[in-house]
Amino acid sequence: MSADGRVFAVRTAFIRGVEAAPVTVEVSMSGGIPGIALVGMADSGVLEARGRIRCALRSAGYEIPRASITVNLAPGDMRKSGSGFDLPIAVAILAASHQIPADGLDGCLIVGELGLDGSVCPVRGEVAYQLLARDRALTLATAPSDAHVPLDGVACGTIAHIGALRLGVPRALGAPRAATACAEHGTEPDYADVIGQEVAKRGLAIAAAGGLGLLMVGSPGAGKSMLAERMTSILPTIDERERQEALCIHSVRGEPVEGLLAGRRPFRSPHHSISAAGLAGGGRPVAPGEISLAHGGVLYLDELAEFPSSVLQTLRQPMESGRIRIVRAEGAYTFPARFQLLAASNPCPCGHLGDREVACTCPPAAVERYRAKLSGPLADRIDLCIDVARPDPELIVRGAQGACSADLRAQVERGRAFSAWRTHRSRPAAEGSAEGIEGAVAAFGLDEGAGQTLVRIARTGKLTARGIVRVCRIARTVADMAESERVRREHVLEASMFRGRTADER
């Protein structure tokens, strides 16, 4: 590579999925009809860079070389997308035509969109670009942004206008502005605001401690959404790895990151009209969906029965593997997808089945069809089912106090810590491999009284092996929260409370 006016190269990247893929911008200048030709599988958005670059160079006082300019985006076997190629192509043209110094360009990863006046605009995915720059020991040169997230071990600089490049790229770099957390962790919604739902709060704490899926069933206005929205306030602090992955996903999608910077886990609540691509990811170019945006946090599906079955089935694989893999003609994309699943639904189409005060008006056939939507392979992956009834009006008027988020979070952290200690100490067989009552007793540590109680519950409720294991999983979490090595009778009894009225005994 040389800067003799003929050939020059600059390092850049583009977003592919949730990662930044490295690209080399090669510029060749020769005699012929003046113009800029872009090769290297550039999509229509990248091809539009030619017009922006011409206007930006003219506005900044640079000369547009009167030569045939060929710009190659290598490697040529990947389709390129995005507007972040504007700045590196402009830098390569200016360096190749000797209008700016070429010193130090080999150590820079340059990404940015150009305005027609020569200003440099930020692009999505800055966190992904930072991770690539860190891996390749490069300095990231991009536009100033209020959403900049500083990462350890990453050298970053900003370029506000290409007019500053006359001194060379390294000298034109300014200090980035770091994004600030807009709220402290303690300002999250608190469970103390939810009155008269103590049993539901207990169920949510069990789900948080055991990483279990949870379905809330109740009449409209019972407080299901209020309970779900406060789930992140009782989950343990997000670890650094999950936080960095979540920051990268949100950055690629252009979502706000202030909550993550403040220490809050993501909470996503997509509408039931969402498409499969919107939930799981997809589109062109392929982008992460709501499942991945909930990585490290909570995915809440309100009105579960209203979601199309084909959309809900996309949850099955990521719930088990913690990631989602999307295969397209141009390649495969893997997105992180470890989340806490919460769902809510009415018990029937009118919402008043089982209500103490309002009679249900639905015919039996309609109720059966509605309940059928809450069953199937996805329901098998939801461990707890809670009945949420409307609270007593007197409690609301009196302003009764209940469990707050701090109390519930302490229970969750105690349960998770004890589970980690117990697992490290005994290294039992994987819980999910238990089959039947004997396997459940061996895997989950039920004592004799708990085993007998489980047998009675299984016979009375006609539980299948899968239903028995579900009760055992909940009981094991309850025992961990009580810091008990063995699952006792009272733990099994409490676990049996959370099978719910719509849980069929499969």
Side-chain angles (χ1 to χ4, degrees), residues 430-446:
E431 296 181 354
S433 64
E435 296 182 0
I437 295 177
E438 293 182 0
V441 171
F444 295 98
L446 277 68

Side-chain angles (χ1 to χ4, degrees), residues 274-299:
I274 191 172
S275 65
L279 188 63
R284 183 175 292 273
V286 176
E290 291 291 324
I291 292 176
S292 294
L293 287 167
H295 177 69
V298 174
L299 178 66

Side-chain angles (χ1 to χ4, degrees), residues 19-36:
E19 298 178 344
V23 173
T24 301
V25 176
E26 299 176 334
V27 171
S28 173
M29 303 177 66
S30 61
I33 299 175
I36 301 175

Side-chain angles (χ1 to χ4, degrees), residues 93-335:
I93 291 175
L94 291 175
S97 60
H98 301 286
Q99 297 187 67
I100 65 171
D103 300 338
L105 285 181
D106 287 342
C108 294
L109 181 72
I110 305 174
V111 179
E113 177 183 336
L114 291 180
L116 299 185
D117 61 351
S119 60
V120 183
C121 308
V123 294
R124 293 181 179 181
E126 185 184 350
V127 173
Y129 293 125
Q130 288 191 61
L131 295 176
L132 177 63
R134 183 174 65 185
D135 293 342
R136 306 229 166 183
L138 300 173
T139 298
L140 176 63
T142 187
S145 172
D146 294 331
H148 172 71
V149 179
L151 299 180
D152 294 337
V154 182
C156 291
T158 61
I159 301 172
H161 195 278
I162 60 172
L165 296 177
R166 287 185 173 84
L167 299 176
V169 172
R171 293 185 179 181
L173 296 180
R177 299 191 300 266
T180 57
C182 63
E184 296 299 327
H185 186 71
T187 61
E188 288 183 278
D190 197 288
Y191 274 117
D193 302 329
V194 184
I195 300 172
Q197 299 291 0
E198 299 310 303
V199 174
K201 292 180 187 180
R202 172 65 175 174
L204 287 160
I206 294 172
L212 308 176
L214 182 144
L215 170 64
M216 293 179 285
V217 179
S219 303
K224 301 185 293 294
S225 294
M226 287 185 67
L227 289 165
E229 289 167 357
R230 286 155 175 77
M231 183 65 165
T232 56
S233 68
I234 66 173
L235 290 173
T237 303
I238 190 169
D239 63 46
E240 186 57 32
R241 177 182 177 183
E242 283 186 325
R243 178 176 174 270
Q244 183 169 288
E245 290 173 340
L247 282 171
C248 187
I249 295 168
H250 281 68
S251 177
V252 166
R253 282 292 302 269
E255 296 282 338
V257 297
E258 291 82 359
L260 287 167
L261 295 177
R264 292 192 295 272
R265 288 178 178 265
F267 179 87
R268 307 296 300 186
S269 180
H271 191 262
H272 57 74
S273 62
I274 191 172
S275 65
L279 188 63
R284 183 175 292 273
V286 176
E290 291 291 324
I291 292 176
S292 294
L293 287 167
H295 177 69
V298 174
L299 178 66
Y300 175 51
L301 304 181
D302 196 9
E303 302 296 343
L304 182 67
E306 302 298 332
F307 282 80
S309 177
S310 59
V311 173
L312 290 178
Q313 298 314 311
T314 62
L315 289 168
R316 293 166 56 185
Q317 182 254 347
M319 285 180 66
E320 293 182 351
S321 65
R323 61 189 180 89
I324 187 163
R325 180 178 172 84
I326 298 175
V327 180
R328 294 291 185 266
E330 63 269 20
Y333 301 79
T334 300
F335 302 142

Side-chain angles (χ1 to χ4, degrees), residues 32 41 53 63 68 74 111 139 149 185 256 275 332 338 358 363 383 465 480:
M41 290 189 71
I53 290 171
E63 293 184 3
S68 176
V111 179
T139 298
V149 179
H185 186 71
S275 65
R338 290 187 299 275
V358 183
D383 300 285
D480 288 337

Side-chain angles (χ1 to χ4, degrees), residues 351-381:
H352 298 295
L353 180 66
D355 196 300
R356 297 187 300 266
E357 301 174 358
V358 183
C360 175
T361 60
C362 302
V367 174
E368 289 301 318
R369 285 195 301 270
Y370 195 84
R371 289 175 54 138
K373 295 181 179 180
L374 305 181
S375 62
L378 178 62
D380 286 343
R381 291 162 173 80

